[in-house]
Amino acid sequence: NGYYWSAWSKCFHSSRDFSDMVYVQNYIFNKDVFIQFNSTVGEYVGYTALGVHNAEIYNKDPNILQQMRASVET
């Protein structure tokens, strides 16, 4: 009888040299993804009203985007 919040980050690839690496970070509230960063897209995407609002804020900050885009390399 409370709220459920979680986040996960994962790298996906299918080649042995990792040249097709994709970094995905999901933020989940009450078992629904509300915002996601995907390195293929290169910015945050919101899936709920709160997620869209946060995505707009995060996407306006070049430091956040630079850090997230570099995550695929690490």
Side-chain angles (χ1 to χ4, degrees):
N1 292 339
Y3 296 104
Y4 175 81
W5 185 91
S6 66
W8 61 260
S9 301
K10 205 171 233 184
C11 291
F12 299 95
H13 64 88
S14 60
S15 65
R16 289 185 172 200
D17 65 355
F18 305 114
S19 62
D20 62 344
M21 182 76 70
V22 176
Y23 176 73
V24 176
Q25 187 173 62
N26 282 327
Y27 296 93
I28 301 146
F29 183 73
N30 285 349
K31 300 181 182 179
D32 290 323
V33 174
F34 70 95
I35 190 170
Q36 179 185 77
F37 179 84
N38 183 314
S39 64
T40 303
V41 177
E43 63 183 22
Y44 286 89
V45 176
Y47 296 104
T48 65
L50 176 62
V52 169
H53 174 74
N54 286 333
E56 289 174 358
I57 293 169
Y58 298 159
N59 290 335
K60 288 179 184 175
D61 188 332
N63 294 323
I64 291 174
L65 287 180
Q66 181 181 17
Q67 181 182 2
M68 295 306 296
R69 289 173 181 160
S71 295
V72 74
E73 299 300 325
T74 57

PDB file of all heavy atoms in Angstrom, residues 23-36:
ATOM      1  N   TYR A  23      22.705   1.973 -25.089  1.00  0.00           N
ATOM      2  CA  TYR A  23      22.563   2.156 -23.653  1.00  0.00           C
ATOM      3  C   TYR A  23      21.148   2.649 -23.375  1.00  0.00           C
ATOM      4  O   TYR A  23      20.684   3.613 -23.992  1.00  0.00           O
ATOM      5  CB  TYR A  23      23.579   3.176 -23.147  1.00  0.00           C
ATOM      6  CG  TYR A  23      23.445   3.505 -21.692  1.00  0.00           C
ATOM      7  CD1 TYR A  23      23.833   2.599 -20.716  1.00  0.00           C
ATOM      8  CD2 TYR A  23      22.926   4.726 -21.284  1.00  0.00           C
ATOM      9  CE1 TYR A  23      23.715   2.897 -19.376  1.00  0.00           C
ATOM     10  CE2 TYR A  23      22.803   5.029 -19.949  1.00  0.00           C
ATOM     11  CZ  TYR A  23      23.197   4.119 -18.995  1.00  0.00           C
ATOM     12  OH  TYR A  23      23.071   4.422 -17.665  1.00  0.00           O
ATOM     13  N   VAL A  24      20.450   1.982 -22.452  1.00  0.00           N
ATOM     14  CA  VAL A  24      19.077   2.346 -22.107  1.00  0.00           C
ATOM     15  C   VAL A  24      18.989   2.506 -20.598  1.00  0.00           C
ATOM     16  O   VAL A  24      19.500   1.669 -19.848  1.00  0.00           O
ATOM     17  CB  VAL A  24      18.075   1.261 -22.569  1.00  0.00           C
ATOM     18  CG1 VAL A  24      16.670   1.597 -22.127  1.00  0.00           C
ATOM     19  CG2 VAL A  24      18.137   1.090 -24.075  1.00  0.00           C
ATOM     20  N   GLN A  25      18.355   3.593 -20.178  1.00  0.00           N
ATOM     21  CA  GLN A  25      18.109   3.811 -18.759  1.00  0.00           C
ATOM     22  C   GLN A  25      16.622   4.112 -18.581  1.00  0.00           C
ATOM     23  O   GLN A  25      16.098   5.036 -19.201  1.00  0.00           O
ATOM     24  CB  GLN A  25      18.938   4.968 -18.236  1.00  0.00           C
ATOM     25  CG  GLN A  25      18.865   5.137 -16.735  1.00  0.00           C
ATOM     26  CD  GLN A  25      19.832   6.180 -16.260  1.00  0.00           C
ATOM     27  OE1 GLN A  25      19.714   7.335 -16.638  1.00  0.00           O
ATOM     28  NE2 GLN A  25      20.790   5.779 -15.440  1.00  0.00           N
ATOM     29  N   ASN A  26      15.946   3.304 -17.784  1.00  0.00           N
ATOM     30  CA  ASN A  26      14.513   3.458 -17.526  1.00  0.00           C
ATOM     31  C   ASN A  26      14.280   3.897 -16.098  1.00  0.00           C
ATOM     32  O   ASN A  26      14.945   3.423 -15.172  1.00  0.00           O
ATOM     33  CB  ASN A  26      13.766   2.130 -17.721  1.00  0.00           C
ATOM     34  CG  ASN A  26      13.522   1.811 -19.163  1.00  0.00           C
ATOM     35  OD1 ASN A  26      13.318   2.693 -19.978  1.00  0.00           O
ATOM     36  ND2 ASN A  26      13.535   0.542 -19.492  1.00  0.00           N
ATOM     37  N   TYR A  27      13.300   4.776 -15.932  1.00  0.00           N
ATOM     38  CA  TYR A  27      12.820   5.167 -14.614  1.00  0.00           C
ATOM     39  C   TYR A  27      11.373   4.709 -14.526  1.00  0.00           C
ATOM     40  O   TYR A  27      10.563   5.001 -15.399  1.00  0.00           O
ATOM     41  CB  TYR A  27      12.918   6.679 -14.422  1.00  0.00           C
ATOM     42  CG  TYR A  27      14.344   7.166 -14.446  1.00  0.00           C
ATOM     43  CD1 TYR A  27      14.927   7.600 -15.630  1.00  0.00           C
ATOM     44  CD2 TYR A  27      15.112   7.189 -13.291  1.00  0.00           C
ATOM     45  CE1 TYR A  27      16.230   8.044 -15.663  1.00  0.00           C
ATOM     46  CE2 TYR A  27      16.426   7.629 -13.316  1.00  0.00           C
ATOM     47  CZ  TYR A  27      16.973   8.055 -14.498  1.00  0.00           C
ATOM     48  OH  TYR A  27      18.269   8.484 -14.528  1.00  0.00           O
ATOM     49  N   ILE A  28      11.071   3.984 -13.446  1.00  0.00           N
ATOM     50  CA  ILE A  28       9.781   3.304 -13.331  1.00  0.00           C
ATOM     51  C   ILE A  28       9.077   3.785 -12.064  1.00  0.00           C
ATOM     52  O   ILE A  28       9.692   3.858 -10.989  1.00  0.00           O
ATOM     53  CB  ILE A  28       9.999   1.780 -13.269  1.00  0.00           C
ATOM     54  CG1 ILE A  28      10.731   1.338 -14.527  1.00  0.00           C
ATOM     55  CG2 ILE A  28       8.694   1.037 -13.082  1.00  0.00           C
ATOM     56  CD1 ILE A  28      11.668   0.198 -14.333  1.00  0.00           C
ATOM     57  N   PHE A  29       7.798   4.106 -12.200  1.00  0.00           N
ATOM     58  CA  PHE A  29       6.975   4.473 -11.053  1.00  0.00           C
ATOM     59  C   PHE A  29       5.702   3.638 -11.090  1.00  0.00           C
ATOM     60  O   PHE A  29       5.001   3.625 -12.099  1.00  0.00           O
ATOM     61  CB  PHE A  29       6.633   5.963 -11.077  1.00  0.00           C
ATOM     62  CG  PHE A  29       5.835   6.409  -9.882  1.00  0.00           C
ATOM     63  CD1 PHE A  29       6.438   6.520  -8.643  1.00  0.00           C
ATOM     64  CD2 PHE A  29       4.496   6.699 -10.004  1.00  0.00           C
ATOM     65  CE1 PHE A  29       5.707   6.925  -7.535  1.00  0.00           C
ATOM     66  CE2 PHE A  29       3.756   7.101  -8.905  1.00  0.00           C
ATOM     67  CZ  PHE A  29       4.362   7.214  -7.670  1.00  0.00           C
ATOM     68  N   ASN A  30       5.442   2.943 -10.005  1.00  0.00           N
ATOM     69  CA  ASN A  30       4.287   2.034  -9.917  1.00  0.00           C
ATOM     70  C   ASN A  30       4.236   1.069 -11.105  1.00  0.00           C
ATOM     71  O   ASN A  30       3.199   0.867 -11.731  1.00  0.00           O
ATOM     72  CB  ASN A  30       2.985   2.802  -9.757  1.00  0.00           C
ATOM     73  CG  ASN A  30       2.828   3.345  -8.363  1.00  0.00           C
ATOM     74  OD1 ASN A  30       3.576   2.998  -7.457  1.00  0.00           O
ATOM     75  ND2 ASN A  30       1.857   4.207  -8.175  1.00  0.00           N
ATOM     76  N   LYS A  31       5.396   0.513 -11.414  1.00  0.00           N
ATOM     77  CA  LYS A  31       5.575  -0.524 -12.431  1.00  0.00           C
ATOM     78  C   LYS A  31       5.358  -0.051 -13.868  1.00  0.00           C
ATOM     79  O   LYS A  31       5.256  -0.862 -14.782  1.00  0.00           O
ATOM     80  CB  LYS A  31       4.695  -1.738 -12.134  1.00  0.00           C
ATOM     81  CG  LYS A  31       5.013  -2.363 -10.792  1.00  0.00           C
ATOM     82  CD  LYS A  31       4.173  -3.574 -10.520  1.00  0.00           C
ATOM     83  CE  LYS A  31       4.489  -4.129  -9.149  1.00  0.00           C
ATOM     84  NZ  LYS A  31       3.677  -5.281  -8.833  1.00  0.00           N
ATOM     85  N   ASP A  32       5.312   1.262 -14.096  1.00  0.00           N
ATOM     86  CA  ASP A  32       5.199   1.821 -15.445  1.00  0.00           C
ATOM     87  C   ASP A  32       6.415   2.695 -15.730  1.00  0.00           C
ATOM     88  O   ASP A  32       6.777   3.551 -14.909  1.00  0.00           O
ATOM     89  CB  ASP A  32       3.938   2.680 -15.597  1.00  0.00           C
ATOM     90  CG  ASP A  32       2.670   1.861 -15.580  1.00  0.00           C
ATOM     91  OD1 ASP A  32       2.684   0.747 -16.136  1.00  0.00           O
ATOM     92  OD2 ASP A  32       1.674   2.336 -15.014  1.00  0.00           O
ATOM     93  N   VAL A  33       7.035   2.499 -16.881  1.00  0.00           N
ATOM     94  CA  VAL A  33       8.145   3.362 -17.288  1.00  0.00           C
ATOM     95  C   VAL A  33       7.572   4.748 -17.554  1.00  0.00           C
ATOM     96  O   VAL A  33       6.658   4.899 -18.348  1.00  0.00           O
ATOM     97  CB  VAL A  33       8.849   2.815 -18.546  1.00  0.00           C
ATOM     98  CG1 VAL A  33       9.899   3.794 -19.024  1.00  0.00           C
ATOM     99  CG2 VAL A  33       9.461   1.461 -18.268  1.00  0.00           C
ATOM    100  N   PHE A  34       8.112   5.760 -16.855  1.00  0.00           N
ATOM    101  CA  PHE A  34       7.609   7.104 -17.098  1.00  0.00           C
ATOM    102  C   PHE A  34       8.601   7.977 -17.856  1.00  0.00           C
ATOM    103  O   PHE A  34       8.224   8.960 -18.476  1.00  0.00           O
ATOM    104  CB  PHE A  34       7.126   7.779 -15.804  1.00  0.00           C
ATOM    105  CG  PHE A  34       8.210   8.160 -14.831  1.00  0.00           C
ATOM    106  CD1 PHE A  34       8.750   9.436 -14.832  1.00  0.00           C
ATOM    107  CD2 PHE A  34       8.663   7.256 -13.885  1.00  0.00           C
ATOM    108  CE1 PHE A  34       9.718   9.794 -13.919  1.00  0.00           C
ATOM    109  CE2 PHE A  34       9.627   7.606 -12.965  1.00  0.00           C
ATOM    110  CZ  PHE A  34      10.161   8.875 -12.982  1.00  0.00           C
ATOM    111  N   ILE A  35       9.867   7.599 -17.840  1.00  0.00           N
ATOM    112  CA  ILE A  35      10.865   8.325 -18.629  1.00  0.00           C
ATOM    113  C   ILE A  35      11.987   7.358 -18.987  1.00  0.00           C
ATOM    114  O   ILE A  35      12.299   6.444 -18.221  1.00  0.00           O
ATOM    115  CB  ILE A  35      11.398   9.560 -17.876  1.00  0.00           C
ATOM    116  CG1 ILE A  35      12.247  10.441 -18.785  1.00  0.00           C
ATOM    117  CG2 ILE A  35      12.123   9.162 -16.625  1.00  0.00           C
ATOM    118  CD1 ILE A  35      12.588  11.784 -18.174  1.00  0.00           C
ATOM    119  N   GLN A  36      12.577   7.563 -20.160  1.00  0.00           N
ATOM    120  CA  GLN A  36      13.636   6.671 -20.625  1.00  0.00           C
ATOM    121  C   GLN A  36      14.677   7.466 -21.395  1.00  0.00           C
ATOM    122  O   GLN A  36      14.347   8.362 -22.162  1.00  0.00           O
ATOM    123  CB  GLN A  36      13.058   5.601 -21.543  1.00  0.00           C
ATOM    124  CG  GLN A  36      14.090   4.644 -22.105  1.00  0.00           C
ATOM    125  CD  GLN A  36      13.499   3.680 -23.107  1.00  0.00           C
ATOM    126  OE1 GLN A  36      13.257   4.053 -24.245  1.00  0.00           O
ATOM    127  NE2 GLN A  36      13.238   2.452 -22.658  1.00  0.00           N
TER     128      GLN A  36
END
